[in-house]
Amino acid sequence: SSHGSNEYPFLIDTDGISVLPVTAVGLDYSTSTARVSTGIESLDAMLEGKGYYKGSSVLISGTAGTGKSSLAAHFVGGLCRNGKRALYMALEESYNQIIRNMRTIGLNLQPYVDKDLLLFYNARPTIFGLEMHLAVLHKRINEFEPEAVIVDPISSFLSGGAQQPEVKSMLTRLIDFCKARQITTVFTDLITASNIQSAETQEGV
């Protein structure tokens, strides 16, 4: 076979060597007309009564306290109620804190964790580099085989010291990886009052 001509980041962990192609997939992945519920009946009604497209990428932006994590958690709850698996990457709050906070709005996620339908991956953005975060996500996705992946919030990667082009590249590769597997992705993004009118995220996605 032909070889890749770009540089390939690699990581060594307990399972050996993982190689992450810079361009993991092209733009030839299939798309689905199937829909998945947002977990909120009134929001589903706004989306033709059906919810998000399966395998799509959803971005929820807003200032602090506008319900970004709550929308993501409701999506997770709706999936898990139907016996589907979800992987939740939390970059600012612990697993226990998320469980507690969601209970205050009537959403109990703990039973889904107990039934192995919901897997939390909690990590500070600064604990290691973007390549390692991407490698861990690839590994968790391959092992857990979720229907959806949530990253809450992607803005934490920038506050962790990474540069915009690096974050954009990492998120693009994650999106392509998930789209190729028909995994629905939901990203939350914290925006500040100074850039609230901007049409694009600070991460460039």
Side-chain angles (χ1 to χ4, degrees):
S1 66
S2 59
H3 68 279
S5 58
N6 295 321
E7 293 182 346
Y8 287 82
F10 69 92
L11 301 163
I12 302 175
D13 61 10
T14 54
D15 292 328
I17 298 176
S18 302
V19 179
L20 298 178
V22 175
T23 51
V25 295
L27 293 174
D28 57 349
Y29 41 73
S30 61
T31 57
S32 174
T33 57
R35 306 289 275 266
V36 288
S37 173
T38 64
I40 303 172
E41 188 176 342
S42 55
L43 183 54
D44 283 344
M46 294 173 65
L47 302 172
E48 301 178 346
K50 300 172 183 178
Y52 307 132
Y53 279 109
K54 178 179 172 60
S56 62
S57 301
V58 180
L59 176 67
I60 304 171
S61 296
T63 52
T66 51
K68 301 180 298 296
S69 296
S70 299
L71 283 170
H74 274 290
F75 173 56
V76 166
L79 276 174
C80 294
R81 276 194 299 274
N82 291 318
K84 308 295 185 183
R85 284 180 158 184
L87 172 63
Y88 196 120
M89 181 183 190
L91 296 167
E92 290 187 346
E93 295 181 327
S94 69
Y95 145 73
N96 288 321
Q97 188 176 352
I98 293 171
I99 295 291
R100 182 203 65 189
N101 291 348
M102 291 308 113
R103 282 197 182 111
T104 66
I105 59 171
L107 185 60
N108 186 7
L109 298 176
Q110 186 62 53
Y112 306 130
V113 175
D114 297 338
K115 293 176 182 177
D116 199 32
L117 293 172
L118 176 57
L119 177 66
F120 278 95
Y121 166 43
N122 298 83
R124 287 287 184 191
T126 52
I127 195 170
F128 35 60
L130 293 174
E131 297 293 344
M132 177 65 89
H133 281 299
L134 185 60
V136 172
L137 281 170
H138 277 212
K139 183 176 179 181
R140 299 283 171 88
I141 290 169
N142 285 330
E143 292 175 349
F144 193 62
E145 299 181 343
E147 294 277 329
V149 172
I150 290 83
V151 182
D152 180 28
I154 59 173
S155 45
S156 287
F157 288 121
L158 288 175
S159 61
Q163 299 301 308
Q164 190 257 18
E166 299 168 341
V167 175
K168 179 178 180 179
S169 174
M170 178 265 198
L171 292 173
T172 300
R173 289 159 65 191
L174 176 60
I175 289 169
D176 284 345
F177 180 80
C178 290
K179 280 183 178 292
R181 289 158 178 77
Q182 291 291 292
I183 296 172
T184 309
T185 53
V186 172
F187 302 110
T188 69
D189 179 50
L190 176 64
I191 58 176
T192 61
S194 60
N195 68 344
I196 197 168
Q197 301 298 328
S198 176
E200 78 169 329
T201 66
Q202 295 182 76
E203 300 77 28
V205 295

